[in-house]
């Protein structure tokens, strides 16, 4: 494996999780063994000290009942039994003068400790020491204690067995620790791989999508809740992107279709002007037609740009505190004359004091588009109702007409860009008005609802967050 691959491995989440798991597990095992080791050592040492004290008590009883000679004989027997290189006994006075001892050939360099004698003289009962002797591979545990008036007993016990046990324990511990770390690494790697399996699925799906397989989705039946949530969120994002891409494709097709007619007219008008018309009036008419078609194209492009800005969240809104009745009044005044020409009555039913924080130009644009459609699709002699009301923390703006209505099959698509139902194709329009209304209201953190019944009319209700202040939002 190259250094680059090793470097990349060290940066992977799988490797880091496995490393952390192994480190934590190894630390836990080490702490457990360490505590166990010290407990065992402490128990063994306490047991050895207890055995030395028991030996001293027996010799104290012999001294009290039978004298020093019997103590000397008992010491020799005990030393020979245990091994003269394993244990020794020595009797002395508080001045350090030796009274009797067992075979000291294996302990020639070991004398009576002056500090221990001083402590005994001051009244201390039992003095324990652990001493490392030159030339011996093991330490010695020594007990200095008084077994009679002015009689000091020194017992020395080789810690060879004890230290061999400790060495074996350390060896076993080292091997076990190494094995546990390896096992922990393997188990940690397996757990990390299992936990990250869903993420690898998401990554693989993303790579497939980047290669052009846009219909790919992640299996959401993951064994880990967090991975399942990630998969669902990823799939939802893909669905949203797919919808947007489909919408862009439809918009492109619709723009190509809707631009074809005005561009053809402009071209024909330009050709006629170039060829030369028979009368100046015809040239003026052709020029006016060209201007109208250009204006229509510009309006279409600008409206599409407005919708895109609102849908992507980059539309700049100049929010101020508004009374919706003022906005509706201004829009109603503009369409009043158009409605009167068709014999349509606009009923104004909006009260004062309903405030919102909104961009006045954009809100007026949204109300105007709904009212324009109402006037356009309402037959002569009918009615249009403008209303406003409070609904908890929202302000509702209603535009209701008594026109031809919208067929049920068209309702889900009326918000699509450039979509025009069969009944609306006979009227002039771009098919962008309702798309712009929804985009503007959504940009204001609002919502819009519609209900319609063919032959009886349609009702549009825009909801905006209510504002208690009429000043700056």
């Amino acid at each position: 494996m190259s250094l680059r691959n090793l470097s990349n491995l060290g940066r992977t989440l799988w490797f880091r999780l496995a490393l952390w798991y192994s480190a934590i597990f190894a630390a836990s095992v080490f702490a457990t063994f360490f505590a166990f080791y010290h407990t065992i050592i402490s128990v063994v040492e306490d047991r050895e000290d207890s055995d030395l004290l028991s030996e001293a008590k027996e010799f104290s009883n012999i001294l009290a009942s039978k004298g020093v000679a019997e103590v000397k004989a008992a010491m020799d027997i005990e030393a020979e039994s245990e091994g003269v290189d394993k244990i020794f006994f020595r009797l002395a006075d508080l001045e350090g003068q030796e009274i009797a001892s067992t075979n000291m050939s294996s302990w020639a360099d070991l004398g009576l400790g002056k500090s221990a004698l001083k402590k005994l003289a001051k009244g201390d009962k039992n003095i324990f020491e652990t001493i490392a002797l030159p030339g011996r591979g093991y330490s010695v545990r020594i007990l200095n204690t008084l077994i009679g008036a002015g009689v000091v007993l020194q017992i020395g016990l080789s810690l060879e067995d004890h230290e061999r046990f400790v060495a074996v324990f350390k060896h076993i511990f080292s091997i076990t620790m190494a094995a546990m770390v390896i096992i922990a690494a393997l188990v940690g790697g397996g757990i990390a791989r299992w936990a990250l399996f869903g993420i690898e699925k998401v990554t693989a799906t993303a790579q497939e999508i980047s290669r052009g397989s846009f219909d790919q989705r992640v299996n959401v039946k993951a064994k880990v809740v967090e991975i399942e949530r990630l998969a669902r969120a990823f799939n939802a994002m893909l669905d949203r992107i797919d919808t947007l891409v489909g919408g862009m494709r439809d918009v492109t097709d619709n723009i190509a279709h809707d631009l074809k007619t005005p561009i053809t007219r402009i071209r024909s008008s330009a050709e006629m002007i170039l060829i030369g018309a028979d009368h100046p009036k015809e040239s003026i008419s052709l020029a006016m037609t060209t201007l109208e078609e250009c204006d229509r194209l510009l309006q279409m492009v600008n409206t599409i740009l407005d919708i895109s800005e609102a849908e992507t969240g980059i539309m700049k809104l100049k929010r101020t505190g508004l009374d919706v009745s003022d906005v509706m009044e201004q829009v109603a005044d503009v369409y009043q004359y158009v409605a009167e020409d068709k014999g349509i009555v606009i009923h104004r039913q909006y009260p004062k004091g309903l405030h919102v924080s909104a961009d006045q130009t954009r809100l007026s644009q949204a109300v105007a588009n709904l009212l324009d459609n109402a006037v356009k699709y309402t037959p002569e002699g009918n009615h249009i109702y403008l209303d406003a009301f409070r609904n908890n923390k929202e302000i509702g703006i209603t535009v209701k007409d008594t026109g031809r209505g919208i067929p049920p099959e068209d309702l889900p698509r009326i918000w699509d860009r450039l979509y025009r139902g069969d009944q609306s194709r006979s009227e002039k329009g771009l098919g962008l008005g309702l798309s712009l209304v929804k985009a503007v209201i959504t940009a204001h953190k609002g919502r819009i609802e519609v209900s319609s019944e063919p032959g009886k009319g349609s009702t549009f209700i825009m909801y905006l967050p209510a504002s208690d202040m009429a000043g700056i939002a």
Side-chain angles (χ1 to χ4, degrees), residues 393-416:
K393 296 182 180 180
E394 295 179 315
I395 301 297
I397 300 174
T398 303
V399 178
K400 179 181 179 181
D401 64 59
T402 54
R404 65 183 68 170
I406 304 172
E409 62 272 16
D410 289 340
L411 273 177
R413 299 195 60 190
I414 61 173
W415 312 111
D416 295 345

PDB file of all heavy atoms in Angstrom, residues 393-416:
ATOM      1  N   LYS A 393     -52.810  33.955  13.697  1.00  0.00           N
ATOM      2  CA  LYS A 393     -51.624  34.769  13.482  1.00  0.00           C
ATOM      3  C   LYS A 393     -51.388  35.083  12.012  1.00  0.00           C
ATOM      4  O   LYS A 393     -50.285  35.467  11.613  1.00  0.00           O
ATOM      5  CB  LYS A 393     -50.396  34.061  14.062  1.00  0.00           C
ATOM      6  CG  LYS A 393     -50.442  33.884  15.570  1.00  0.00           C
ATOM      7  CD  LYS A 393     -49.174  33.230  16.084  1.00  0.00           C
ATOM      8  CE  LYS A 393     -49.216  33.063  17.599  1.00  0.00           C
ATOM      9  NZ  LYS A 393     -47.980  32.436  18.121  1.00  0.00           N
ATOM     10  N   GLU A 394     -52.418  34.921  11.206  1.00  0.00           N
ATOM     11  CA  GLU A 394     -52.303  35.169   9.773  1.00  0.00           C
ATOM     12  C   GLU A 394     -53.341  36.188   9.330  1.00  0.00           C
ATOM     13  O   GLU A 394     -54.392  36.347   9.952  1.00  0.00           O
ATOM     14  CB  GLU A 394     -52.487  33.876   8.983  1.00  0.00           C
ATOM     15  CG  GLU A 394     -51.406  32.828   9.205  1.00  0.00           C
ATOM     16  CD  GLU A 394     -51.675  31.565   8.414  1.00  0.00           C
ATOM     17  OE1 GLU A 394     -52.839  31.108   8.420  1.00  0.00           O
ATOM     18  OE2 GLU A 394     -50.739  31.038   7.796  1.00  0.00           O
ATOM     19  N   ILE A 395     -53.012  36.863   8.238  1.00  0.00           N
ATOM     20  CA  ILE A 395     -53.962  37.763   7.570  1.00  0.00           C
ATOM     21  C   ILE A 395     -54.305  37.132   6.224  1.00  0.00           C
ATOM     22  O   ILE A 395     -53.402  36.792   5.445  1.00  0.00           O
ATOM     23  CB  ILE A 395     -53.372  39.167   7.363  1.00  0.00           C
ATOM     24  CG1 ILE A 395     -52.990  39.791   8.706  1.00  0.00           C
ATOM     25  CG2 ILE A 395     -54.357  40.049   6.610  1.00  0.00           C
ATOM     26  CD1 ILE A 395     -54.160  40.005   9.641  1.00  0.00           C
ATOM     27  N   GLY A 396     -55.602  36.938   5.994  1.00  0.00           N
ATOM     28  CA  GLY A 396     -56.049  36.350   4.743  1.00  0.00           C
ATOM     29  C   GLY A 396     -56.541  37.414   3.768  1.00  0.00           C
ATOM     30  O   GLY A 396     -57.233  38.357   4.155  1.00  0.00           O
ATOM     31  N   ILE A 397     -56.179  37.279   2.503  1.00  0.00           N
ATOM     32  CA  ILE A 397     -56.625  38.175   1.430  1.00  0.00           C
ATOM     33  C   ILE A 397     -57.357  37.313   0.407  1.00  0.00           C
ATOM     34  O   ILE A 397     -56.763  36.399  -0.178  1.00  0.00           O
ATOM     35  CB  ILE A 397     -55.439  38.896   0.766  1.00  0.00           C
ATOM     36  CG1 ILE A 397     -54.687  39.746   1.807  1.00  0.00           C
ATOM     37  CG2 ILE A 397     -55.916  39.757  -0.393  1.00  0.00           C
ATOM     38  CD1 ILE A 397     -53.420  40.379   1.274  1.00  0.00           C
ATOM     39  N   THR A 398     -58.629  37.597   0.192  1.00  0.00           N
ATOM     40  CA  THR A 398     -59.478  36.761  -0.670  1.00  0.00           C
ATOM     41  C   THR A 398     -59.843  37.491  -1.948  1.00  0.00           C
ATOM     42  O   THR A 398     -60.247  38.665  -1.920  1.00  0.00           O
ATOM     43  CB  THR A 398     -60.756  36.349   0.061  1.00  0.00           C
ATOM     44  OG1 THR A 398     -60.425  35.670   1.264  1.00  0.00           O
ATOM     45  CG2 THR A 398     -61.607  35.440  -0.811  1.00  0.00           C
ATOM     46  N   VAL A 399     -59.702  36.785  -3.078  1.00  0.00           N
ATOM     47  CA  VAL A 399     -60.201  37.266  -4.370  1.00  0.00           C
ATOM     48  C   VAL A 399     -61.139  36.185  -4.898  1.00  0.00           C
ATOM     49  O   VAL A 399     -60.698  35.093  -5.251  1.00  0.00           O
ATOM     50  CB  VAL A 399     -59.053  37.534  -5.361  1.00  0.00           C
ATOM     51  CG1 VAL A 399     -59.622  37.990  -6.711  1.00  0.00           C
ATOM     52  CG2 VAL A 399     -58.086  38.566  -4.808  1.00  0.00           C
ATOM     53  N   LYS A 400     -62.416  36.496  -4.936  1.00  0.00           N
ATOM     54  CA  LYS A 400     -63.431  35.520  -5.338  1.00  0.00           C
ATOM     55  C   LYS A 400     -64.189  36.044  -6.551  1.00  0.00           C
ATOM     56  O   LYS A 400     -64.608  37.202  -6.574  1.00  0.00           O
ATOM     57  CB  LYS A 400     -64.404  35.271  -4.181  1.00  0.00           C
ATOM     58  CG  LYS A 400     -65.515  34.291  -4.502  1.00  0.00           C
ATOM     59  CD  LYS A 400     -66.448  34.114  -3.302  1.00  0.00           C
ATOM     60  CE  LYS A 400     -67.581  33.146  -3.614  1.00  0.00           C
ATOM     61  NZ  LYS A 400     -68.497  32.992  -2.466  1.00  0.00           N
ATOM     62  N   ASP A 401     -64.353  35.193  -7.555  1.00  0.00           N
ATOM     63  CA  ASP A 401     -65.107  35.594  -8.741  1.00  0.00           C
ATOM     64  C   ASP A 401     -66.284  34.650  -8.961  1.00  0.00           C
ATOM     65  O   ASP A 401     -66.370  33.590  -8.321  1.00  0.00           O
ATOM     66  CB  ASP A 401     -64.200  35.627  -9.979  1.00  0.00           C
ATOM     67  CG  ASP A 401     -63.636  34.265 -10.360  1.00  0.00           C
ATOM     68  OD1 ASP A 401     -64.429  33.340 -10.616  1.00  0.00           O
ATOM     69  OD2 ASP A 401     -62.387  34.122 -10.392  1.00  0.00           O
ATOM     70  N   THR A 402     -67.147  35.017  -9.840  1.00  0.00           N
ATOM     71  CA  THR A 402     -68.305  34.186 -10.198  1.00  0.00           C
ATOM     72  C   THR A 402     -68.222  33.835 -11.677  1.00  0.00           C
ATOM     73  O   THR A 402     -69.218  33.883 -12.395  1.00  0.00           O
ATOM     74  CB  THR A 402     -69.611  34.935  -9.882  1.00  0.00           C
ATOM     75  OG1 THR A 402     -69.591  36.220 -10.525  1.00  0.00           O
ATOM     76  CG2 THR A 402     -69.778  35.132  -8.393  1.00  0.00           C
ATOM     77  N   GLY A 403     -67.008  33.499 -12.090  1.00  0.00           N
ATOM     78  CA  GLY A 403     -66.772  33.233 -13.500  1.00  0.00           C
ATOM     79  C   GLY A 403     -66.936  31.777 -13.879  1.00  0.00           C
ATOM     80  O   GLY A 403     -67.690  31.018 -13.249  1.00  0.00           O
ATOM     81  N   ARG A 404     -66.149  31.363 -14.868  1.00  0.00           N
ATOM     82  CA  ARG A 404     -66.304  30.031 -15.451  1.00  0.00           C
ATOM     83  C   ARG A 404     -65.720  28.923 -14.568  1.00  0.00           C
ATOM     84  O   ARG A 404     -66.053  27.767 -14.747  1.00  0.00           O
ATOM     85  CB  ARG A 404     -65.639  30.007 -16.834  1.00  0.00           C
ATOM     86  CG  ARG A 404     -64.141  30.203 -16.798  1.00  0.00           C
ATOM     87  CD  ARG A 404     -63.518  30.239 -18.185  1.00  0.00           C
ATOM     88  NE  ARG A 404     -63.933  31.432 -18.920  1.00  0.00           N
ATOM     89  CZ  ARG A 404     -63.377  31.804 -20.075  1.00  0.00           C
ATOM     90  NH1 ARG A 404     -62.399  31.067 -20.609  1.00  0.00           N
ATOM     91  NH2 ARG A 404     -63.787  32.888 -20.699  1.00  0.00           N
ATOM     92  N   GLY A 405     -64.825  29.280 -13.622  1.00  0.00           N
ATOM     93  CA  GLY A 405     -64.235  28.265 -12.751  1.00  0.00           C
ATOM     94  C   GLY A 405     -63.096  27.508 -13.424  1.00  0.00           C
ATOM     95  O   GLY A 405     -62.799  27.725 -14.611  1.00  0.00           O
ATOM     96  N   ILE A 406     -62.486  26.616 -12.660  1.00  0.00           N
ATOM     97  CA  ILE A 406     -61.334  25.840 -13.133  1.00  0.00           C
ATOM     98  C   ILE A 406     -61.682  24.362 -13.051  1.00  0.00           C
ATOM     99  O   ILE A 406     -62.119  23.879 -12.001  1.00  0.00           O
ATOM    100  CB  ILE A 406     -60.083  26.117 -12.270  1.00  0.00           C
ATOM    101  CG1 ILE A 406     -59.772  27.612 -12.247  1.00  0.00           C
ATOM    102  CG2 ILE A 406     -58.876  25.334 -12.794  1.00  0.00           C
ATOM    103  CD1 ILE A 406     -58.676  27.994 -11.275  1.00  0.00           C
ATOM    104  N   PRO A 407     -61.498  23.608 -14.125  1.00  0.00           N
ATOM    105  CA  PRO A 407     -61.779  22.170 -14.076  1.00  0.00           C
ATOM    106  C   PRO A 407     -60.903  21.472 -13.024  1.00  0.00           C
ATOM    107  O   PRO A 407     -59.759  21.868 -12.805  1.00  0.00           O
ATOM    108  CB  PRO A 407     -61.416  21.688 -15.490  1.00  0.00           C
ATOM    109  CG  PRO A 407     -61.507  22.918 -16.344  1.00  0.00           C
ATOM    110  CD  PRO A 407     -61.092  24.052 -15.468  1.00  0.00           C
ATOM    111  N   PRO A 408     -61.418  20.453 -12.367  1.00  0.00           N
ATOM    112  CA  PRO A 408     -60.640  19.750 -11.314  1.00  0.00           C
ATOM    113  C   PRO A 408     -59.309  19.213 -11.808  1.00  0.00           C
ATOM    114  O   PRO A 408     -58.317  19.222 -11.065  1.00  0.00           O
ATOM    115  CB  PRO A 408     -61.575  18.620 -10.889  1.00  0.00           C
ATOM    116  CG  PRO A 408     -62.952  19.094 -11.254  1.00  0.00           C
ATOM    117  CD  PRO A 408     -62.783  19.921 -12.481  1.00  0.00           C
ATOM    118  N   GLU A 409     -59.258  18.752 -13.055  1.00  0.00           N
ATOM    119  CA  GLU A 409     -58.015  18.181 -13.560  1.00  0.00           C
ATOM    120  C   GLU A 409     -56.937  19.236 -13.781  1.00  0.00           C
ATOM    121  O   GLU A 409     -55.736  18.926 -13.873  1.00  0.00           O
ATOM    122  CB  GLU A 409     -58.258  17.414 -14.860  1.00  0.00           C
ATOM    123  CG  GLU A 409     -58.787  18.257 -16.010  1.00  0.00           C
ATOM    124  CD  GLU A 409     -60.309  18.356 -16.037  1.00  0.00           C
ATOM    125  OE1 GLU A 409     -60.937  18.029 -15.003  1.00  0.00           O
ATOM    126  OE2 GLU A 409     -60.859  18.744 -17.088  1.00  0.00           O
ATOM    127  N   ASP A 410     -57.355  20.517 -13.880  1.00  0.00           N
ATOM    128  CA  ASP A 410     -56.383  21.588 -14.091  1.00  0.00           C
ATOM    129  C   ASP A 410     -55.869  22.194 -12.780  1.00  0.00           C
ATOM    130  O   ASP A 410     -54.811  22.840 -12.765  1.00  0.00           O
ATOM    131  CB  ASP A 410     -56.982  22.706 -14.947  1.00  0.00           C
ATOM    132  CG  ASP A 410     -57.159  22.284 -16.398  1.00  0.00           C
ATOM    133  OD1 ASP A 410     -56.495  21.321 -16.810  1.00  0.00           O
ATOM    134  OD2 ASP A 410     -57.960  22.920 -17.110  1.00  0.00           O
ATOM    135  N   LEU A 411     -56.601  22.007 -11.683  1.00  0.00           N
ATOM    136  CA  LEU A 411     -56.235  22.659 -10.424  1.00  0.00           C
ATOM    137  C   LEU A 411     -54.808  22.349  -9.955  1.00  0.00           C
ATOM    138  O   LEU A 411     -54.089  23.266  -9.523  1.00  0.00           O
ATOM    139  CB  LEU A 411     -57.239  22.279  -9.328  1.00  0.00           C
ATOM    140  CG  LEU A 411     -58.490  23.138  -9.231  1.00  0.00           C
ATOM    141  CD1 LEU A 411     -59.418  22.590  -8.149  1.00  0.00           C
ATOM    142  CD2 LEU A 411     -58.134  24.589  -8.923  1.00  0.00           C
ATOM    143  N   PRO A 412     -54.351  21.074 -10.003  1.00  0.00           N
ATOM    144  CA  PRO A 412     -52.990  20.807  -9.507  1.00  0.00           C
ATOM    145  C   PRO A 412     -51.894  21.486 -10.318  1.00  0.00           C
ATOM    146  O   PRO A 412     -50.775  21.648  -9.821  1.00  0.00           O
ATOM    147  CB  PRO A 412     -52.873  19.274  -9.615  1.00  0.00           C
ATOM    148  CG  PRO A 412     -54.276  18.779  -9.656  1.00  0.00           C
ATOM    149  CD  PRO A 412     -55.034  19.835 -10.392  1.00  0.00           C
ATOM    150  N   ARG A 413     -52.197  21.918 -11.556  1.00  0.00           N
ATOM    151  CA  ARG A 413     -51.142  22.434 -12.432  1.00  0.00           C
ATOM    152  C   ARG A 413     -51.217  23.936 -12.652  1.00  0.00           C
ATOM    153  O   ARG A 413     -50.391  24.478 -13.390  1.00  0.00           O
ATOM    154  CB  ARG A 413     -51.197  21.723 -13.780  1.00  0.00           C
ATOM    155  CG  ARG A 413     -50.992  20.211 -13.711  1.00  0.00           C
ATOM    156  CD  ARG A 413     -50.692  19.658 -15.082  1.00  0.00           C
ATOM    157  NE  ARG A 413     -49.486  20.247 -15.641  1.00  0.00           N
ATOM    158  CZ  ARG A 413     -49.093  20.097 -16.916  1.00  0.00           C
ATOM    159  NH1 ARG A 413     -49.835  19.376 -17.745  1.00  0.00           N
ATOM    160  NH2 ARG A 413     -47.994  20.672 -17.367  1.00  0.00           N
ATOM    161  N   ILE A 414     -52.174  24.607 -12.038  1.00  0.00           N
ATOM    162  CA  ILE A 414     -52.333  26.041 -12.323  1.00  0.00           C
ATOM    163  C   ILE A 414     -51.146  26.859 -11.818  1.00  0.00           C
ATOM    164  O   ILE A 414     -50.941  27.999 -12.270  1.00  0.00           O
ATOM    165  CB  ILE A 414     -53.632  26.595 -11.696  1.00  0.00           C
ATOM    166  CG1 ILE A 414     -53.603  26.421 -10.167  1.00  0.00           C
ATOM    167  CG2 ILE A 414     -54.854  25.917 -12.299  1.00  0.00           C
ATOM    168  CD1 ILE A 414     -54.778  27.086  -9.469  1.00  0.00           C
ATOM    169  N   TRP A 415     -50.366  26.295 -10.877  1.00  0.00           N
ATOM    170  CA  TRP A 415     -49.208  27.027 -10.356  1.00  0.00           C
ATOM    171  C   TRP A 415     -47.960  26.815 -11.198  1.00  0.00           C
ATOM    172  O   TRP A 415     -46.940  27.476 -10.969  1.00  0.00           O
ATOM    173  CB  TRP A 415     -48.916  26.608  -8.919  1.00  0.00           C
ATOM    174  CG  TRP A 415     -50.118  26.594  -8.027  1.00  0.00           C
ATOM    175  CD1 TRP A 415     -50.726  25.516  -7.485  1.00  0.00           C
ATOM    176  CD2 TRP A 415     -50.848  27.738  -7.568  1.00  0.00           C
ATOM    177  NE1 TRP A 415     -51.796  25.893  -6.714  1.00  0.00           N
ATOM    178  CE2 TRP A 415     -51.907  27.269  -6.748  1.00  0.00           C
ATOM    179  CE3 TRP A 415     -50.739  29.118  -7.764  1.00  0.00           C
ATOM    180  CZ2 TRP A 415     -52.819  28.106  -6.143  1.00  0.00           C
ATOM    181  CZ3 TRP A 415     -51.652  29.970  -7.160  1.00  0.00           C
ATOM    182  CH2 TRP A 415     -52.678  29.467  -6.359  1.00  0.00           C
ATOM    183  N   ASP A 416     -48.013  25.891 -12.176  1.00  0.00           N
ATOM    184  CA  ASP A 416     -46.848  25.618 -13.008  1.00  0.00           C
ATOM    185  C   ASP A 416     -46.587  26.781 -13.957  1.00  0.00           C
ATOM    186  O   ASP A 416     -47.526  27.407 -14.478  1.00  0.00           O
ATOM    187  CB  ASP A 416     -47.047  24.333 -13.823  1.00  0.00           C
ATOM    188  CG  ASP A 416     -47.148  23.113 -12.926  1.00  0.00           C
ATOM    189  OD1 ASP A 416     -46.789  23.226 -11.739  1.00  0.00           O
ATOM    190  OD2 ASP A 416     -47.584  22.059 -13.416  1.00  0.00           O
TER     191      ASP A 416
END
